Amino acid sequence: KQWYQRRVAITAGVKLFSEGRGQFGDWAQHFAEWNSGMPPDRFLIIRYEELLADCTVTMETIMRFLGRGDIPRDRITKVVEETRFERMRERDLSFVPGCPS
């Protein structure tokens, strides 16, 4: 069977991948192959830790990368604040048609 046709439990698959025994080797090998030859202006790596540390600055970086560095910081800050997990949890979506209440 092909590797993708085998049924592997997710925990077993993660273990294989973390040990470098998956289809693409370990994470570093997988990333290096994926990234090889990629022009640096065609991708942007954002770490989760960066988003947690300062989401507004990270979003500004993303917007500049996308060619939208003209968006004012106060607007980005507002979007970041309005889309925080805690804020979104507070919202009641019962007004959305088709959304279970």
Side-chain angles (χ1 to χ4, degrees), residues 43-99:
F43 72 96
L44 176 67
I45 297 172
I46 299 293
R47 294 180 17 240
Y48 179 69
E49 293 81 3
E50 293 169 352
L51 283 168
L52 289 179
D54 195 334
C55 194
T56 299
V57 169
T58 305
M59 290 305 297
E60 287 176 323
T61 301
I62 293 169
M63 298 312 290
R64 280 193 306 275
F65 178 77
L66 295 173
R68 294 300 315 267
D70 59 325
I71 297 176
R73 183 177 199 146
D74 61 331
R75 187 169 177 194
I76 293 173
T77 300
K78 183 176 180 180
V79 169
V80 167
E81 290 303 318
E82 290 296 317
T83 57
R84 288 196 182 283
F85 181 75
E86 298 81 16
R87 176 77 172 114
M88 295 188 72
R89 188 185 322 169
E90 294 170 359
R91 293 192 178 141
D92 178 10
L93 295 180
S94 61
F95 66 90
V96 178
C99 184

